[in-house]
């Protein structure tokens, strides 16, 4: 039976062209991925998926920077996953090695990730505090959190038909929780199953900044107050156009109704929009509980 590769979209073709350019480095690749975030894979997700549908760009970990980071959770655990981008032209293995030794470039990349993990081990509480504003809901902050790492480097040709090399990479994942992917892996995966649009955050001193909404964040404005989150002008316009009540959120009201609207007055808006009486009564009861202080503490 003949297997056919999925046809490449113009975006994937542009990405492949970028990877083939002389001098293409991780900075150019990160810029392209941020502008076309559907090309970025997010391996290692737990059953709640990508937390808040957000990736974090240039996440600080001690004195180093992870090119991307993201959170994922289940009912009883969190994972913080850090991503290192390396040049597509770097080799994974020493060409002449009979023992399938990693190249110096590969070892340097692994050493970078080792520094992240050493910092995490010694300063876990400090790292968790930097992401605490988006570790929501607050009652799940007590759950355990682990660190995993993804290394994207090189091309697939040198390993695809060599079982021993693939075994070395599998051992690296098992021993150090580092998942290695090549840029060809990204291209194949996205060509077969395009990724969903996602939002991009950047860490700030007091919280986070929302830089891009190629995909809208999930429940971000229903969980995170404006004291811990700023929004750049372009995504703010997109959010307003999509019906988010940003003015209410800036006035310190969480957008808990469909992730877009504040609870105050929501039942009235629902009634005017012709929602069924059950939905209207649920919103009315929720607003009453909020007014009487029976809706739980502010996080």
């Amino acid at each position: 039976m003949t297997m056919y590769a999925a046809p490449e979209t113009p975006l994937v073709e542009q990405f492949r062209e970028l990877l083939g350019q002389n001098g293409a480095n991780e900075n150019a690749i990160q810029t392209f991925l941020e502008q076309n975030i559907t090309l970025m894979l997010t391996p290692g997700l737990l059953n709640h998926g990508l937390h808040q549908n957000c990736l974090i760009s240039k996440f600080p970990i001690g004195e180093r920077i992870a090119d991307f980071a993201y959170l994922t959770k289940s009912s009883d655990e969190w994972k913080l996953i850090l991503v290192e981008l390396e040049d597509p032209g770097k080799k994974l293995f020493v060409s002449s090695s009979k023992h399938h030794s990693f190249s110096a470039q590969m070892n340097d990349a692994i050493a970078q990730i080792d520094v992240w993990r050493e910092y995490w081990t010694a300063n876990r509480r400090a790292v968790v505090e930097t992401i605490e504003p988006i570790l929501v809901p607050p009652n799940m902050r007590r759950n355990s959190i682990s660190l995993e790492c993804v290394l994207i480097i090189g091309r697939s040709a040198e390993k695809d038909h060599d079982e021993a090399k693939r075994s070395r990479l599998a051992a690296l994942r098992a021993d150090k929780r580092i998942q290695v992917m090549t840029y060809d892996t990204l291209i194949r995966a996205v060509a077969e199953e395009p990724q969903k649009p996602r939002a991009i955050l950047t860490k700030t001193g007091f919280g986070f900044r929302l830089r891009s909404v190629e995909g809208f964040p999930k429940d971000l404005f229903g969980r995170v107050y404006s004291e811990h989150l700023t929004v750049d002008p372009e995504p703010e316009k997109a959010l307003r156009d999509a019906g988010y009540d940003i003015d209410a959120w800036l006035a310190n009201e969480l957008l808990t109704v469909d992730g877009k609207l504040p609870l105050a007055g929501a039942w009235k808006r629902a009634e005017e929009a012709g929602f069924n009486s059950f939905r209207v009564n649920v919103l009315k009861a929720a607003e009453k509980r909020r007014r009487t202080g029976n809706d739980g503490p502010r996080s």
Side-chain angles (χ1 to χ4, degrees):
M1 179 178 177
T2 303
M3 300 295 291
Y4 294 96
E8 291 188 356
T9 65
L11 183 57
V12 171
E13 290 175 356
Q14 290 175 38
F15 189 42
R16 188 185 289 279
E17 182 180 341
L18 172 63
L19 296 175
Q21 291 176 3
N22 289 331
N25 58 33
E26 59 262 35
N27 292 324
I29 290 168
Q30 173 144 16
T31 298
F32 189 86
L33 289 174
E34 288 188 14
Q35 294 169 349
N36 304 280
I37 201 63
T38 55
L39 292 172
M40 184 65 192
L41 299 182
T42 51
L45 297 181
L46 296 171
N47 61 339
H48 289 191
L50 179 64
H51 186 54
Q52 297 185 316
N53 197 40
C54 290
L55 286 161
I56 306 166
S57 172
K58 297 295 184 184
F59 180 75
I61 177 86
E63 296 181 354
R64 305 296 179 94
I65 299 289
D67 295 308
F68 286 105
Y70 53 95
L71 286 161
T72 183
K73 73 179 189 300
S74 66
S75 299
D76 55 7
E77 69 169 310
W78 292 88
K79 283 201 295 188
L80 172 63
I81 300 177
L82 305 182
V83 181
E84 170 72 3
L85 300 177
E86 292 286 343
D87 290 2
K90 289 184 176 180
K91 296 293 186 181
L92 283 71
F93 297 93
V94 176
S95 301
S96 60
S97 173
K98 295 180 180 179
H99 305 290
H100 307 291
S101 301
F102 289 135
S103 70
Q105 295 169 323
M106 180 71 167
N107 282 324
D108 284 346
I110 293 170
Q112 159 84 302
I113 292 173
D114 285 342
V115 172
W116 294 349
R117 189 169 295 282
E118 288 165 7
Y119 185 85
W120 167 260
T121 300
N123 303 276
R124 181 187 303 246
R125 183 65 247 168
V127 178
V128 171
E129 285 176 358
T130 68
I131 56 176
E132 196 164 86
I134 58 174
L135 283 178
V136 291
N139 65 316
M140 295 188 75
R141 288 174 183 161
R142 68 175 72 95
N143 292 350
S144 65
I145 180 167
S146 60
L147 182 74
E148 291 189 4
C149 300
V150 175
L151 171 60
I152 304 176
I153 182 172
R155 309 302 293 266
S156 292
E158 62 176 313
K159 71 173 182 64
D160 273 355
H161 304 292
D162 192 318
E163 183 62 34
K165 289 180 178 179
R166 293 200 300 274
S167 295
R168 286 281 334 255
L169 295 174
L172 181 65
R173 182 174 184 178
D175 293 344
K176 294 194 173 189
R177 301 186 78 175
I178 300 175
Q179 180 172 351
V180 177
M181 298 191 299
T182 69
Y183 288 97
D184 297 295
T185 304
L186 250 62
I187 288 173
R188 284 197 296 262
V190 171
E192 291 172 5
E193 185 178 352
Q195 302 295 292
K196 294 179 181 178
R198 288 154 290 185
I200 298 177
L201 298 169
T202 298
K203 189 76 187 75
T204 63
F206 57 89
F208 290 87
R209 170 179 146 230
L210 182 59
R211 287 179 40 196
S212 167
V213 288
E214 185 174 332
F216 290 115
K218 183 180 179 182
D219 205 26
L220 185 66
F221 297 96
R223 297 287 189 181
V224 181
Y225 285 92
S226 55
E227 65 189 286
H228 296 302
L229 179 67
T230 60
V231 183
D232 282 2
E234 189 172 334
E236 180 178 335
K237 181 181 185 305
L239 290 162
R240 289 181 184 276
D241 290 346
Y244 287 75
D245 191 342
I246 295 299
D247 290 328
W249 177 75
L250 289 171
N252 231 26
E253 292 186 68
L254 291 177
L255 307 186
T256 55
V257 180
D258 299 328
K260 292 184 175 183
L261 301 171
L263 187 57
W267 70 267
K268 187 65 176 175
R269 291 191 297 271
E271 186 176 61
E272 291 170 350
F275 281 59
N276 64 58
S277 58
F278 177 77
R279 172 75 161 159
V280 171
N281 288 333
V282 167
L283 291 171
K284 188 181 291 187
E287 183 173 341
K288 182 178 180 180
R289 288 197 305 273
R290 183 80 173 199
R291 285 202 310 268
T292 56
N294 295 322
D295 207 32
R298 180 187 186 278
S299 62

